[in-house]
Amino acid sequence: LFRSQKQFLAVNAQLDDNEMELEALAGKHKTLEKTIATKTTQLEELDTKAHEESSEYVAEWQRKVEAAKAAYDRAKEDATGDGGVARLNAEIEECKKKIEEGKSHYVKISQESKEMSTKLEELQRHSELQQKADEAKKAIDQLTLDERAAEQEYKDYVASIRTDMGQMVAAYKTIERQRRETYNKIQDLKGNLRVYCRIKPLGPGEASECVSIVDDMTIRIKDLDTNQHQDHEFDLVIGPKATQEEIFEEARPLATSVLDGYNVCIFAYGQTGSGKTYTMEGPPSNRGINYRTVRELFNVAKERSADYQFHLSVSVIDRKS
């Protein structure tokens, strides 16, 4: 999705650059059209003028040739008369002068013709530039079509992803609900009310043991005086060598049940010095169930933070006897 969005933005940026270039080319195109129109008008005027002057020049030249021929004929007839040669020479010089004028006029017309050819070449170059501008416009139109197609493809892709995400979220919620129900059914099978018995290790100076573990659910209390005993059953019997971590592992699943919406209560019961505070609170170096359970609550809440929002609060009641 991120790559598609990035490609889409790149196409938009390229389209903006091409539109700016097209606007610049359009401005140049309008200027060139005006220039072409002006040059074409001038070229037509020059061509008309050259054609007219050429026609006049040819007609004038023909007239002059006819006049020279007539003068030559007259001079030939009058060659034997007085002043005939001088008049003939004068007419010849006049003809030469007119011929030179005609040559100069012809050179001028040739120069103007070359200038018109140069202007025509410029007009052709302008026409090529117009052709390039048209090709650029076609390319920009094609880019616009490609951009629209990419945009539609991107929208379809996003819609597809949203549909898939909706289906996955629905499936996840269903699985999460089933997991929560199954998990807490397991907890229910263990018993909604559980009583664990933790045996405290003997301290220095204490009497020999009168409590023994029959199995993981039964302890035996022995009367050392009468040598009689009595068995008591619990959901679990925890021996004196068990660590704080092992004790907490039995309570860890209950932290998950709390965040699943179930009410949970853990408390310790026993006479003074039996190890209640040690089990529930523990020293700073080896914390008990309270601290470990609260830490577990925050850990599970953090793991589910993407899907759920939790609000945790704590209240403390200290009852002194």
Side-chain angles (χ1 to χ4, degrees), residues 200-247:
K200 178 182 177 182
L202 291 176
E206 291 183 341
S208 60
E209 295 183 358
C210 62
V211 179
S212 61
I213 299 176
V214 178
D215 54 39
D216 59 355
M217 297 179 65
T218 309
I219 64 171
R220 178 169 294 169
I221 309 297
K222 183 179 181 180
D223 188 343
L224 299 179
D225 294 333
T226 62
N227 201 26
Q228 294 180 351
H229 66 270
Q230 187 176 8
D231 292 343
H232 299 273
E233 293 184 355
F234 300 91
D235 291 292
L236 180 65
V237 175
I238 303 170
K241 295 182 179 181
T243 63
Q244 295 282 69
E245 178 65 25
E246 292 172 346
I247 300 297

Side-chain angles (χ1 to χ4, degrees), residues 42-281:
Q42 293 178 354
L43 184 61
E44 291 176 353
E45 292 176 354
L46 290 173
D47 184 62
T48 302
K49 182 179 179 181
H51 180 72
E52 293 176 353
E53 290 181 353
S54 297
S55 299
E56 292 177 358
Y57 174 75
V58 171
E60 181 67 20
W61 183 263
Q62 289 178 350
R63 287 195 298 270
K64 289 180 179 180
V65 169
E66 292 296 332
K69 184 177 180 181
Y72 174 77
D73 291 339
R74 289 194 303 270
K76 185 177 180 180
E77 292 175 358
D78 298 338
T80 55
D82 296 337
V85 175
R87 188 173 62 255
L88 181 60
N89 290 333
E91 290 179 356
I92 290 173
E93 291 297 328
E94 183 66 22
C95 288
K96 287 181 178 180
K97 184 178 179 181
K98 291 180 179 181
I99 290 172
E100 291 298 328
E101 291 177 354
K103 287 182 178 181
S104 298
H105 188 65
Y106 175 77
V107 171
K108 181 180 179 181
I109 293 176
S110 297
Q111 184 65 31
E112 291 178 352
S113 177
K114 289 180 180 180
E115 292 177 356
M116 287 188 291
S117 297
T118 302
K119 292 178 180 179
L120 182 60
E121 290 176 357
E122 291 179 356
L123 291 175
Q124 290 176 349
R125 286 195 297 270
H126 292 329
S127 177
E128 292 176 357
L129 183 60
Q130 175 61 30
Q131 184 178 359
K132 291 181 179 179
D134 294 338
E135 292 175 355
K137 186 178 183 301
K138 290 180 180 180
I140 290 175
D141 292 340
Q142 184 62 39
L143 284 174
T144 302
L145 294 176
D146 294 341
E147 184 265 341
R148 290 177 180 174
E151 182 180 4
Q152 184 61 41
E153 183 179 358
Y154 170 75
K155 290 181 179 179
D156 294 340
Y157 179 69
V158 171
S160 175
I161 289 178
R162 288 178 177 174
T163 302
D164 294 340
M165 287 181 63
Q167 294 175 352
M168 287 188 291
V169 168
Y172 170 77
K173 290 182 178 179
T174 301
I175 294 173
E176 175 63 15
R177 183 176 62 256
Q178 294 173 351
R179 180 207 64 78
R180 185 168 58 250
E181 293 175 353
T182 302
Y183 180 85
N184 288 282
K185 282 181 180 179
I186 294 174
Q187 300 304 313
D188 290 341
L189 291 174
K190 291 182 179 181
N192 288 329
L193 181 61
R194 307 175 206 170
V195 180
Y196 293 170
C197 177
R198 184 181 189 184
I199 300 176
K200 178 182 177 182
L202 291 176
E206 291 183 341
S208 60
E209 295 183 358
C210 62
V211 179
S212 61
I213 299 176
V214 178
D215 54 39
D216 59 355
M217 297 179 65
T218 309
I219 64 171
R220 178 169 294 169
I221 309 297
K222 183 179 181 180
D223 188 343
L224 299 179
D225 294 333
T226 62
N227 201 26
Q228 294 180 351
H229 66 270
Q230 187 176 8
D231 292 343
H232 299 273
E233 293 184 355
F234 300 91
D235 291 292
L236 180 65
V237 175
I238 303 170
K241 295 182 179 181
T243 63
Q244 295 282 69
E245 178 65 25
E246 292 172 346
I247 300 297
F248 170 68
E249 286 302 321
E250 294 296 329
R252 182 192 295 271
L254 299 178
T256 302
S257 295
V258 170
L259 295 181
D260 285 339
Y262 291 84
N263 294 324
V264 175
C265 177
I266 303 174
F267 68 93
Y269 175 79
Q271 67 184 25
T272 302
S274 61
K276 300 185 299 299
T277 302
Y278 182 83
T279 298
M280 297 302 294
E281 184 172 343

